[in-house]
């Protein structure tokens, strides 16, 4: 156990990632598809989330990158949308802000329990399912928003917020297929 | 390398909307368009409406399949979209089954640490969340636990539970048998090994398989019967919860298995998951309840277990299993398993093979050295052991 955190880039975490990759290639999960950006680098993943049906995001295709640090799985990966998003929990640059991607130990937001933050048992699949559920909820969570303007709009003018999201969803579908 | 001579045939799986699953055999030099036509021939989705996604990328019609390095046996997502220039996608029917995620419930007594199990931490899911009902799974299905183990939510919950010292204290304090074991049991609960066991899908799965091997039809049907066996299994790998293992309380888990499940099962359909409290504080059957709630047996959690005399037995049996764990640390080792290591570690060997560790004799030595723990075995192999 101790050895995996000492040396950076020990092959054991690439094994873990390789294993998850193979599993997802053979038995992909409903709602997203994942692969490597460059087949020689297991630390950079390309992800496409299929907009969950019966939500604002239905019909959209959202590209994102998952970047794993050398300390994975002790430290969490980061996830960044390439497709433009408008959501209180997604920064303007696309970075996803969800509690399970927050590093363990430190509680920079002051309200999270350690069990909500990153745990090494999380996988690409569990992360993506969390993000899909983030997109699926009717009203986004407005506690400590990553995108303050989007949060404000959710609170004050939900109709406009929804319209903006729908527009981005349509754009995402066009960008994907043209 | 594939361009010379006849191009090899790929066997591609297509995962489509509404549980649609297809298997397409196609030469690797064909284009995406040709693949779509092959899919159209086998389904009612015309090629123009298909969106194929593989490895995080959308496949473009004109590209040859080789561009995407699709391998035989891999699966491609197929999404049905409105016609290409079509209207807003929201008019199209649901494209796939929505992801149901557990709903959370508030705890009853904020001063009780176990209330956290019902709080925003997510354990509340255990009370109301029945993944198996949604998936249409039979709680008595021997594969149910495997399914459960592969659920990230379950793993997260298990791991978080075990890493919370308050919860551990409560579990220990609420059970005389555990409390009697003194500080010993705390160490066990908090030990890296136990934590790993309880949060590692592989080891749980492996041990479950073993538990069901030894208690055919029984342990697998009752999640906790299985786990009870596991507790015994971990320290002395060769004797996984076998009835008659030196640990005296262990056999109870087998006796309790079958009676409990049918009694609690009706709770699921009644949707009693909303029962106040979900998991009653100070209930010695805490773990049992948790697992039964997960197992779709008792949506009502504690309620189901409390009225059922056998549940108590099950709880004891389970803890007996833990006792085996505690005992294993200090007591003489259980009788050795006489089967050859190839047979004992069959599952783990297969996993190591799949992960690319192809040196069979090294794998066996690593598993022998680590008591069958795949993760430790990997560490062992990577550090050059067993050569």
């Amino acid at each position: 156990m101790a050895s995996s955190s000492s040396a950076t880039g020990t092959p054991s975490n690439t094994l873990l990632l390789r294993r998850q990759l193979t599993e997802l290639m053979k038995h992909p999960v409903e709602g997203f598809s994942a692969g490597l950006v460059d087949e020689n680098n297991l630390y950079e993943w390309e992800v496409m989330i299929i907009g969950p049906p019966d939500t604002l995001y239905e019909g959209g295709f959202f590209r994102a990158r998952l970047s794993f640090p050398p300390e994975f799985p002790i430290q969490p990966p980061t996830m960044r949308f390439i497709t433009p998003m408008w959501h209180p929990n997604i920064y303007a640059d696309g970075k996803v802000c969800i509690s399970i991607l927050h590093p363990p130990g430190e509680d920079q937001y002051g309200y999270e329990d350690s069990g909500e933050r990153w745990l090494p048992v999380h996988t690409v699949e569990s992360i993506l399912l969390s993000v899909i559920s983030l997109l699926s909820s009717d009203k986004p969570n407005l506690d400590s928003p990553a995108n303050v303007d989007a949060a404000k709009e959710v609170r004050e003018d939900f109709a406009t917020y929804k319209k903006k999201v729908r527009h981005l969803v349509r754009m995402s579908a066009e960008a994907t297929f043209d | 390398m594939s361009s010379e001579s006849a191009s090899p045939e790929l066997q591609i799986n297509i995962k489509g909307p509404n549980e649609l699953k297809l298997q397409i055999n196609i030469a690797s030099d064909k284009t995406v368009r040709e693949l779509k036509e092959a899919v159209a021939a086998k389904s009612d989705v015309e090629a123009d409406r298909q969106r194929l996604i593989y490895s995080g990328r959308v496949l473009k019609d004109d590209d040859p399949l080789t561009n995407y390095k699709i391998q035989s046996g891999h699966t491609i997502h197929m999404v049905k979209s409105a016609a290409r220039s079509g209207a807003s996608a929201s008019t199209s029917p649901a494209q796939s089954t929505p992801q149901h995620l557990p709903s959370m419930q508030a705890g009853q007594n904020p001063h009780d640490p176990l209330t956290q199990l019902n709080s925003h931490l997510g354990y509340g899911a255990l009370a109301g969340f029945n993944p198996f009902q949604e998936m249409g799974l039979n709680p008595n299905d021997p594969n149910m636990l495997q399914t459960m183990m592969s659920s990230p939510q379950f793993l997260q919950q298990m791991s978080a539970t075990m890493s919370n010292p308050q919860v551990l204290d409560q579990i220990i304090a609420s059970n005389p048998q555990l409390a009697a074991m003194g500080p010993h049991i705390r160490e066990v609960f908090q030990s890296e090994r136990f934590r790993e066991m309880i949060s590692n899908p592989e080891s749980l799965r492996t041990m479950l398989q073993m538990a069901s091997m030894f208690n055919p039809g029984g342990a697998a049907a009752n999640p906790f019967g299985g786990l009870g066996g596991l507790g015994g299994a971990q320290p002395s790998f060769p004797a996984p919860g076998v009835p008659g293992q030196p640990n005296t309380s262990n056999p109870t888990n087998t006796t309790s298995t079958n009676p409990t499940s049918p009694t609690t099962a009706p709770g699921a359909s009644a949707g009693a998951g909303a029962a106040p409290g979900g998991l009653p504080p100070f209930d010695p059957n805490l773990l049992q309840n948790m697992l039964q709630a997960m197992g779709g047996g008792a949506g009502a959690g504690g309620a189901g277990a409390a009225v059922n005399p056998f549940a108590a037995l099950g709880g004891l049996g389970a803890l007996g299993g833990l006792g085996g764990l505690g005992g294993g640390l200090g007591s003489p080792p259980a009788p050795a398993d006489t089967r050859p290591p190839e047979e004992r570690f069959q599952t783990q060997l297969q996993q190591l093979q799949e992960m690319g560790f192809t040196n069979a004799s090294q794998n066996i030595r690593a598993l022998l050295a680590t008591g069958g723990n795949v993760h430790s075995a990997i560490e062992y192999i990577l550090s050059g052991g067993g050569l």
Side-chain angles (χ1 to χ4, degrees):
Chain A
M1 321 300 118
S3 62
S4 50
S5 56
S6 56
T8 51
T10 49
S12 66
N13 64 7
T14 59
L15 267 167
L16 193 63
L17 290 167
R18 167 75 63 197
R19 191 146 189 255
Q20 291 185 26
L21 181 69
T22 311
E23 184 60 25
L24 286 170
M25 293 288 192
K26 287 187 187 156
H27 309 287
V29 177
E30 198 78 53
F32 74 90
S33 170
L36 299 180
V37 175
D38 163 2
E39 61 181 315
N40 298 316
N41 180 3
L42 275 160
Y43 296 101
E44 288 286 329
W45 288 48
E46 169 113 33
V47 184
M48 177 159 292
I49 292 182
I50 300 162
D54 302 319
T55 70
L56 270 185
Y57 293 87
E58 177 168 359
F61 296 86
F62 310 96
R63 292 177 64 206
R65 291 277 167 91
L66 271 174
S67 307
F68 294 87
E71 297 82 18
F72 178 82
I74 306 300
Q75 295 294 324
T78 55
M79 179 165 168
R80 192 182 298 274
F81 275 100
I82 298 170
T83 305
M85 301 295 275
W86 182 245
H87 191 285
N89 304 116
I90 300 173
Y91 286 99
D93 68 355
K95 192 180 169 200
V96 179
C97 175
I98 52 174
S99 62
I100 64 159
L101 290 181
H102 294 159
E106 67 181 274
D107 183 3
Q108 53 179 317
Y109 303 95
Y111 64 93
E112 285 165 358
D113 290 291
S114 59
E116 287 180 275
R117 297 205 294 276
W118 172 256
L119 290 167
V121 292
H122 281 300
T123 59
V124 171
E125 178 177 338
S126 68
I127 295 165
L128 267 293
L129 290 180
S130 293
V131 173
I132 290 171
S133 92
L134 181 80
L135 299 182
S136 302
S137 65
D138 289 337
K139 268 237 166 167
N141 175 9
L142 299 178
D143 297 338
S144 80
N147 183 335
V148 181
D149 295 332
K152 197 167 161 226
E153 196 168 86
V154 167
R155 214 180 303 116
E156 293 170 5
D157 190 357
F158 197 43
T160 305
Y161 170 82
K162 286 202 280 195
K163 223 170 141 188
K164 234 178 239 183
V165 172
R166 285 301 307 165
H167 177 69
L168 289 172
V169 168
R170 278 194 297 275
M171 302 252 295
S172 79
E174 281 168 25
T176 308
F177 296 111
D178 292 327
Chain B
M1 52 178 179
S2 55
S3 54
E4 55 195 66
S5 74
S7 12
E9 177 136 298
L10 293 173
Q11 191 190 71
I12 297 174
N13 301 309
I14 303 287
K15 186 180 165 76
N18 304 324
E19 312 289 312
L20 175 71
K21 275 194 182 126
L22 296 173
Q23 204 175 69
I24 308 279
N25 289 307
I26 190 165
S28 59
D29 61 349
K30 300 281 191 205
T31 63
V32 170
R33 181 71 197 181
E34 285 166 298
L35 173 62
K36 283 186 179 176
E37 274 152 15
V39 172
K42 281 197 172 189
S43 70
D44 58 356
V45 187
E46 54 213 89
D48 276 338
R49 297 193 58 187
Q50 292 174 27
R51 303 285 176 264
L52 299 182
I53 302 170
Y54 173 75
S55 191
R57 294 177 181 86
V58 170
L59 308 190
K60 302 228 184 307
D61 278 3
D62 304 332
D63 289 345
L65 295 174
T66 47
N67 274 23
Y68 300 100
K69 302 194 170 62
I70 299 170
Q71 287 172 36
S72 227
H74 281 190
T75 300
I76 296 179
H77 278 281
M78 191 263 280
V79 179
K80 202 163 120 184
S81 80
R84 192 161 254 276
S85 59
S88 145
S90 59
T91 56
S92 66
Q95 289 164 342
S96 59
T97 45
Q99 292 284 343
H100 288 287
L101 289 154
S103 54
M104 313 278 174
Q105 290 174 7
Q108 300 296 303
N109 173 5
H111 300 297
D112 183 311
L114 278 191
T115 297
Q116 290 178 12
L117 292 178
N118 282 323
S119 74
H120 62 284
L121 276 176
Y123 310 107
L126 296 175
F129 170 48
N130 176 359
F132 309 99
Q133 201 174 12
E134 275 169 16
M135 298 192 274
L137 288 187
N138 177 355
N140 294 324
D141 178 354
N143 292 323
M144 180 201 75
L145 267 170
Q146 268 92 321
T147 313
M148 181 167 90
M149 291 309 166
S150 57
S151 151
Q153 281 127 8
F154 174 80
L155 294 175
Q156 188 189 346
Q157 279 153 2
M158 264 318 219
S159 164
T161 307
M162 288 309 158
S163 59
N164 184 335
Q166 277 182 305
V167 172
L168 288 184
D169 281 343
Q170 187 93 44
I171 292 172
I172 294 166
S174 63
N175 185 286
Q177 208 179 342
L178 281 178
M181 288 180 206
H184 212 68
I185 190 66
R186 255 200 92 83
E187 285 166 32
V188 172
F189 267 121
Q190 292 185 322
S191 72
E192 185 89 22
R193 203 149 175 209
F194 182 80
R195 192 83 60 77
E196 199 185 334
M197 173 186 106
I198 213 83
S199 62
N200 177 343
E202 272 78 47
S203 68
L204 276 174
R205 222 174 274 145
T206 310
M207 290 187 284
L208 279 168
Q209 278 161 4
M210 290 189 347
S212 55
M213 235 152 55
F214 284 100
N215 309 319
N222 179 327
F224 222 80
L227 266 191
L230 308 183
Q234 179 69 352
S236 47
F237 185 79
V242 192
Q245 197 195 342
N247 184 325
T248 51
S249 55
N250 216 3
T252 48
N253 68 48
T254 47
T255 63
S256 71
T257 50
N258 284 322
T260 53
S261 309
T263 321
T264 48
S269 50
L279 303 171
F282 302 112
D283 187 335
N285 303 317
L286 168 71
L287 284 172
Q288 160 104 357
N289 291 345
M290 267 170 51
L291 285 164
Q292 283 192 345
M294 291 294 289
V307 297
N308 180 347
F310 291 104
L313 265 184
L316 286 181
L319 294 165
L322 297 176
L325 183 60
L329 296 177
S331 59
D337 191 324
T338 51
R339 290 176 302 153
E342 288 87 340
E343 198 177 323
R344 257 190 295 159
F345 298 130
Q346 197 185 3
T347 323
Q348 293 97 318
L349 282 169
Q350 200 188 334
Q351 286 172 353
L352 287 173
Q353 279 284 350
E354 281 169 8
M355 286 190 268
F357 296 100
T358 50
N359 185 336
S361 52
Q362 188 186 18
N363 290 352
I364 287 174
R365 279 191 289 272
L367 287 167
L368 282 170
T370 57
N373 181 309
V374 173
H375 275 237
S376 310
I378 292 173
E379 300 246 2
Y380 186 83
I381 294 170
L382 291 175
S383 59
L387 274 173

